[in-house]
Amino acid sequence: MRILVIGSGAREHALLRGLSLDPATTDLHVAPGNAGLGKLATVHPEIKADDPAQVTALAQELNSDLVVIGPEIPLVAGVADALRAAGFAVFGPNQDAAQIEGSKAFAKDIMAARGVKTAVAEAIQPGASDAEIEAALDNFGPNWVVKDDGLAAGKGVVVTPDRAAARAHVDAVLEGGNPVLLESFLDGPEVSLFCLVDGETVIPLLPAQDHKRVFDNDEGPNTGGMGAYAPLPWLPADGVQRIVDEICVPVAQEMVARGCSYSGLLYAGIAWGKEGPAVVEFNCRFGDPETQAVLALLKTPLAGLLNSVAQGTLAEQPPLEWQDGYALTVVLASHNYPEAPRTGDVIRNADADNIYHAGTALNADGELVSAGGRVLNVIGVGETLEAARDNAYATIKDIELDGSHYRTDIALPAVEGRISI
Ligand code: GLY
């Protein structure tokens, strides 16, 4: 199978690694890629991932059998639609279905139609008066949950007990021209459940947990994700099935009923509170960095699995096979991430196979340098969560990147039994 992957982060590195291990894969390409992906695939840095015409032309040139779209921006821009119209098998939803992430109002409407539990929300439109904004803030908090109703890569959400900070984020988003959503605060530990969805067929992967704040003990601002682990030892035995039955299947059915059938990966971001699972958000693609941990344990060949979704034959897929044990990923971030990440710093000691590239490039001297906020991911796998942590941290401590930082407590609350529901 000749496969083209669209994207440029550590999630795409994990996808390429998984695809390269499937004997059905004959040829791997990635666009636009990053400096670490050349070992696994032919890299096409000149391609703009969110340009439907450019991506389709590349798939035609490569005669791709399958195109796997990693990030949300191309999906929301309609890249999958253009590829399908040109006759390609695509892993990733069309533009109308990608609204489940692209428009939080759309996602709320889908959930309301099927009685799926989620936070109560109120939208504030650009141009709202001071009195309208204050009245909306009166209806919520503390804590206030303030979301940019657009694509913000996880960084557009502020959760705060401080009303002034909530107001400041409302103002900042409105000034950017986007509507703001205020939401009721959902308490309880968070679960990221990724489901393969092909119409009404829903197959869950292992549950994972992200660590969104930049510093240990969940301090500092939200980021795109600083680390993750899978599976979740504290989740009840029927936890995944409840999320599938109460949330993912009804949403998939509602999308079919509305004529925007879902095909790809549906990411349910869940808070498990006293009354069970409730939706924090949906994403229309694999999560980053959870995917790096989840796919590290998948034994079912990945190319065949993603292709079955793309071909509309997921219902015929035998049960997924998983390696026993745990996997974890720790993100190495650049100086000043997430506020104003510094780029261009030289990276050393980053050749190990369990290091995935997120924001890297080569400088004019051919040296590996940082090119984004999240620079590298280190993967650890082990029979226990402690062993997986030890393996990841043994690698990350030797990577040299001036000013870089990483969390030292990924999966630690779970290891120490501090999470319960
Ligand atoms: N892990 C957060 C995200 O992928 O949006």
Side-chain angles (χ1 to χ4, degrees), residues 11 72 101 153-154 192 194 210-212 223-225 228 267 281 283 285-290 374:
R11 167 186 49 210
E72 63 278 17
E101 175 167 2
S192 299
F194 302 162
D210 192 4
H211 292 60
K212 293 207 174 76
T223 68
Y267 165 152
E281 64 176 5
N283 293 317
R285 37 80 194 174
F286 280 100
D288 187 350
E290 299 98 310
R374 293 188 293 177

Side-chain angles (χ1 to χ4, degrees), residues 141-410:
N143 292 335
W144 282 272
V145 180
V146 185
K147 292 185 175 178
D148 183 336
D149 190 17
L151 294 178
K155 286 169 279 185
V157 184
V158 165
V159 181
T160 177
D162 177 357
R163 183 173 174 132
R167 174 67 199 250
H169 192 55
V170 169
D171 292 342
V173 175
L174 292 177
E175 274 163 26
N178 279 341
V180 178
L181 274 193
L182 296 180
E183 286 192 357
S184 56
F185 178 66
L186 291 174
D187 213 357
E190 292 198 0
V191 180
S192 299
L193 187 69
F194 302 162
C195 292
L196 298 164
V197 177
D198 167 16
E200 296 193 5
T201 304
V202 175
I203 296 185
L205 307 186
L206 290 181
Q209 189 177 51
D210 192 4
H211 292 60
K212 293 207 174 76
R213 303 267 181 181
V214 67
F215 300 126
D216 282 6
N217 301 316
D218 289 332
E219 287 173 11
N222 264 350
T223 68
M226 292 296 290
Y229 64 98
L232 307 178
W234 44 266
L235 197 65
D238 66 347
V240 166
Q241 200 56 49
R242 279 195 62 186
I243 297 170
V244 168
D245 293 345
E246 296 173 25
I247 292 167
C248 301
V249 167
V251 164
Q253 288 173 336
E254 179 63 18
M255 295 188 78
V256 170
R258 289 185 185 208
C260 54
S261 178
Y262 200 93
S263 173
L265 194 289
L266 181 66
Y267 165 152
I270 302 296
W272 197 295
K274 288 189 182 62
E275 288 166 18
V279 175
V280 176
E281 64 176 5
F282 283 112
N283 293 317
C284 64
R285 37 80 194 174
F286 280 100
D288 187 350
E290 299 98 310
T291 299
Q292 292 82 304
V294 171
L295 292 187
L297 297 174
L298 181 69
K299 291 205 308 197
T300 301
L302 185 64
L305 184 60
L306 301 188
N307 194 45
S308 75
V309 178
Q311 301 287 354
T313 59
L314 184 65
E316 295 158 27
Q317 175 68 35
L320 300 187
E321 290 182 52
W322 297 97
Q323 179 179 327
D324 287 339
Y326 294 86
L328 148 142
T329 181
V330 184
V331 172
L332 185 78
S334 54
H335 179 66
N336 245 337
Y337 177 75
E339 281 85 9
R342 190 174 74 198
T343 58
D345 289 304
V346 174
I347 304 166
R348 295 198 174 83
N349 286 343
D351 294 327
D353 272 353
N354 64 333
I355 298 176
Y356 292 176
H357 287 232
T360 63
L362 296 178
N363 67 13
D365 298 327
E367 296 170 304
L368 185 67
V369 294
S370 56
R374 293 188 293 177
V375 181
L376 296 169
N377 282 202
V378 179
I379 316 303
V381 177
E383 284 179 13
T384 62
L385 207 39
E386 293 96 315
R389 266 175 57 80
D390 290 347
N391 289 336
Y393 283 110
T395 300
I396 203 167
K397 71 176 176 30
D398 290 334
I399 301 175
E400 292 174 28
L401 173 61
D402 191 34
S404 64
H405 55 99
Y406 59 86
R407 280 183 64 157
T408 65
D409 65 346
I410 303 303

